Amino acid sequence: MDKRQLYDNFIGIEEEMKRMLSSFETIKSDMTGVLENNAELEIENQHLRERLSEIERQTSKDFNESSDANLSKSRQNLEKLYDQGFHVCNIEGMYGSRRVDDEPCAFCLDLIYGEREI
Ligand SMILES: [Zn+2]
């Protein structure tokens, strides 16, 4: 191997390492984005769980007291949650899941505004 070829090989390896470093930076940046997104979702999930258990407590308390005023209060809670974009119906385990593009849900609306007691 002559000196010229050795030098070319060396430059080739250096360029390869630069490309790899550039790919590495891209992957690192993508990964940061994913981790940030994940953290946001965890916080949102935590808030939603707290909200749900708060509403479940309120609903069961209202149910036990079973007065018209309290029933309408728990409907208001469900309505608030629904307006924030979440299902309050329990069709196929939908309760608490996000309504896609805020699409209306007949089951939720029936639960909130329907005649049936909750
Ligand atoms: Zn629903």
Side-chain angles (χ1 to χ4, degrees):
M1 185 184 287
D2 62 26
K3 284 180 182 168
R4 174 75 208 171
Q5 197 185 350
L6 189 64
Y7 181 77
D8 286 350
N9 285 347
F10 187 76
I11 295 299
I13 290 169
E14 186 185 21
E15 278 168 4
E16 184 63 25
M17 285 173 74
K18 280 179 186 165
R19 271 198 298 277
M20 285 175 68
L21 186 63
S22 163
S23 306
F24 183 78
E25 292 294 340
T26 304
I27 292 168
K28 196 170 78 174
S29 152
D30 289 350
M31 195 176 71
T32 304
V34 169
L35 291 175
E36 281 170 1
N37 194 26
N38 188 47
E40 279 171 24
L41 288 174
E42 273 178 20
I43 291 167
E44 185 184 344
N45 192 24
Q46 181 62 32
H47 285 168
L48 179 55
R49 283 173 193 279
E50 285 166 9
R51 196 68 210 281
L52 278 177
S53 59
E54 179 188 312
I55 286 170
E56 276 165 5
R57 271 199 306 278
Q58 186 66 49
T59 304
S60 84
K61 183 167 156 263
D62 291 350
F63 183 77
N64 290 335
E65 290 172 4
S66 161
S67 85
D68 286 349
N70 281 324
L71 279 178
S72 82
K73 179 104 191 299
S74 69
R75 278 176 199 260
Q76 281 170 19
N77 283 332
L78 291 175
E79 184 183 37
K80 246 186 263 171
L81 195 62
Y82 181 81
D83 286 344
Q84 285 171 8
F86 298 102
H87 280 284
V88 295
C89 65
N90 204 12
I91 308 301
E92 293 173 352
M94 300 272 269
Y95 185 72
S97 64
R98 216 172 231 301
R99 290 187 292 120
V100 178
D101 297 329
D102 283 343
E103 63 177 1
C105 174
F107 301 110
C108 287
L109 293 174
D110 183 53
L111 196 64
I112 299 167
Y113 304 110
E115 296 296 302
R116 194 160 54 89
E117 290 203 348
I118 50 174

